Amino acid sequence: MSTPALEPVPAGVGAIVVGSFPLAAGQWTPEHYHPQHQLAWTRSGVLGVAIDDAYWVLPPTRALWLPAGIAHRTGATRDATLYSLYFEPDRCAVSWTEPTALGVDGLLAHLIAYLANEHLADAVRLRAEAVVLDLLRPLPSTPIDVPRPADDRVRVVADALLENPADPRSLEAHARAVGVSRRTLTRLFVRDTGISFDRWRTRVRVQAALALLAEGQPVSRVAHAVGYATASAFLAAFRRTVGTSPGRYLGGDALGRSPEYSDRARNKRGDRGIAPTHD
């Protein structure tokens, strides 16, 4: 495994430096870390952030706080521009020690774009930075944890499901494909990942579904895309895995969507996407 790269950020006038980086769909950065705290956010598209086996999905209503020194990879499930806010630890009153999902409302979104302007006067920039710190609001959500197996036979099965979460094959069929018994594959899965095959596959499906839901696709379409026969079966599996509904997990109307995200999502799903009636 390669060593994560250190990527320092030049100091700014105040506590925050803002960078923007276009990411094409499917593009991921190599694993790296910063000596500064980082807030990762996109105004459009959908970002993913991976830390070891944990994975966060970030539509425009969510950002992720990454404490200084945390190795991570960032990518886009569709074309996006990553806005990164870098906070100098010794000049920042926020001190979350774990990766933390944050809600992004219209005011915070506009302030991030405002601070990306390199030509702001110093006094103006410092006033805007103080407001940003006041607007950082943690969300009660956790990442989707999909442990990667070490055994070659289990990894073949895992890679097949990561490539196609809707793969309908049973554990027994997967076992035959890698030349072991169902009992052996069951034991290896638990040994390598700490959870059963069924629970691991559910996490893979939920992880894949989150990116599609964040783009505004209807729940019924997403359910079929990741291997569920009905939307209700998918929603039940989602709640068992995550502890809440997709709408609440992704921020939904409780946070208030950015105008361009709301319009795009409604157009795509015809107001049939992450429906509050399923909460």
Side-chain angles (χ1 to χ4, degrees), residues 145-161:
D145 187 15
V146 182
R148 294 306 306 269
D151 187 280
D152 289 342
R153 295 161 294 183
V154 184
R155 194 182 302 121
V156 169
V157 176
D159 288 345
L161 289 167

Side-chain angles (χ1 to χ4, degrees), residues 81-142:
T81 297
L82 165 65
Y83 281 83
S84 283
L85 280 67
Y86 302 100
F87 299 76
E88 291 295 339
D90 59 350
R91 303 181 68 180
C92 176
V94 178
S95 57
W96 294 304
T97 58
E98 299 291 334
T100 303
L102 306 176
V104 179
D105 60 14
L107 178 55
L108 181 54
H110 286 300
L111 276 171
I112 293 172
Y114 183 65
L115 285 170
N117 180 357
E118 298 178 355
H119 303 295
L120 289 179
D122 291 354
V124 173
R125 179 175 295 277
L126 292 173
R127 288 196 296 269
E129 287 185 4
V131 179
V132 167
L133 293 171
D134 287 340
L135 294 175
L136 300 182
R137 299 176 291 116
L139 295 174
S141 63
T142 56

Side-chain angles (χ1 to χ4, degrees), residues 148-159 178 180 184-185 187-189 191-193:
R148 294 306 306 269
D151 187 280
D152 289 342
R153 295 161 294 183
V154 184
R155 194 182 302 121
V156 169
V157 176
D159 288 345
V178 295
V180 297
T184 297
L185 186 58
R187 176 177 54 80
L188 291 173
F189 238 102
R191 186 197 68 184
D192 269 19
T193 69

Side-chain angles (χ1 to χ4, degrees), residues 151-207:
D151 187 280
D152 289 342
R153 295 161 294 183
V154 184
R155 194 182 302 121
V156 169
V157 176
D159 288 345
L161 289 167
L162 288 167
E163 178 70 23
N164 177 21
D167 188 330
R169 286 180 291 173
S170 65
L171 176 61
E172 186 170 354
H174 281 292
R176 286 198 301 268
V178 295
V180 297
S181 69
R182 182 182 188 280
R183 183 175 179 179
T184 297
L185 186 58
T186 298
R187 176 177 54 80
L188 291 173
F189 238 102
V190 174
R191 186 197 68 184
D192 269 19
T193 69
I195 56 178
S196 69
F197 168 81
D198 286 337
R199 289 181 62 192
W200 191 91
R201 180 172 60 182
T202 297
R203 292 189 188 185
V204 169
R205 288 176 168 178
V206 167
Q207 178 178 289

Side-chain angles (χ1 to χ4, degrees), residues 8-17 36 86 88 91:
V9 177
V13 172
I16 305 174
V17 173
Q36 296 88 0
Y86 302 100
E88 291 295 339
R91 303 181 68 180

